Amino acid sequence: MLVRLIYASRAKAPIAPDTVDAILASARKRNPEYGITGVLCYSDRIFVQVLEGGRDQVNRVYGQLMQDERHQDLILLGYEAIDERQYSSWTMGGIRLDKINRSLLLKYSISSELNPYLVSSCATVALLNELASTAAFTQRD
Ligand SMILES: Cc1cc2nc3c(=O)[nH]c(=O)nc-3n(C[C@H](O)[C@H](O)[C@H](O)COP(=O)(O)O)c2cc1C
């Protein structure tokens, strides 16, 4: 069974480009092995990630993420069975939130900075859906 999981977290330290590059590189290496696809959105302090794949595989990666000391305060925003993937071409896409159109962020947030801790999980999920449909990704693989 295919599932989609969305969570947000706070980085323990400000997110430097090198940190994200390392996370994305290792995710892109590991995810194909487990049939995981998705996208990682980040600002200088916040991560929001979508993981799609088989239920056991997604649960396994989420279990590892919960132990990962690079971030904290994980909140589960969504978990559902899906018929099809939204991110089938992305072993793990990367989106820098400061590159996103301000008006798109304002559409779903109280300010032009994404803070999933201050808005409903529906609003964050809707923003991600809109990003997926406009393909606003900085990297594809
Ligand atoms: C924000 C963030 C996103 C991550 N995304 C993934 C991912 O998509 N796939 C993955 O296998 N590991 C991902 N990781 C790394 C895992 O948390 C973990 O470090 C990795 O699976 C290695 O675990 P292990 O060394 O215990 O086997 C991510 C880590 C962070 C901080």
Side-chain angles (χ1 to χ4, degrees):
M1 179 173 69
L2 271 179
V3 299
R4 179 179 304 124
L5 181 154
I6 305 179
Y7 76 88
S9 64
R10 289 194 173 97
K12 279 240 175 93
I15 305 169
D18 284 0
T19 314
V20 176
D21 290 349
I23 291 172
L24 285 172
S26 110
R28 287 169 184 160
K29 213 164 137 196
R30 298 168 67 105
N31 289 346
E33 209 179 307
Y34 296 101
I36 303 270
T37 54
V39 64
L40 177 67
C41 301
Y42 55 95
S43 61
D44 55 350
R45 278 282 179 187
I46 300 268
F47 292 111
V48 181
Q49 189 172 24
V50 181
L51 297 167
E52 297 173 331
R55 183 171 55 188
D56 290 349
Q57 289 78 4
V58 168
N59 293 352
R60 185 194 63 84
V61 173
Y62 191 60
Q64 288 174 337
L65 281 160
M66 285 195 287
Q67 316 271 334
D68 196 311
E69 298 203 336
R70 289 171 287 188
H71 60 180
Q72 59 195 1
D73 303 336
L74 267 73
I75 46 170
L76 190 59
L77 300 176
Y79 186 94
E80 60 178 340
I82 51 171
D83 293 328
E84 59 183 55
R85 296 176 193 245
Q86 236 171 358
Y87 301 94
S88 52
S89 311
W90 283 272
T91 53
M92 190 47 62
I95 299 184
R96 269 181 59 179
L97 288 164
D98 58 0
K99 295 270 181 198
I100 291 171
N101 191 313
R102 235 179 92 84
S103 61
L104 181 57
L105 283 169
L106 276 176
K107 181 170 171 187
Y108 296 106
S109 311
I110 53 178
S111 76
S112 60
E113 249 174 63
L114 175 76
N115 188 335
Y117 296 90
L118 291 181
V119 298
S120 72
S121 52
C122 297
T124 305
V125 171
L127 170 65
L128 286 171
N129 286 340
E130 193 157 338
L131 286 173
S133 68
T134 55
F137 300 98
T138 53
Q139 294 142 14
R140 193 181 163 89
D141 298 313

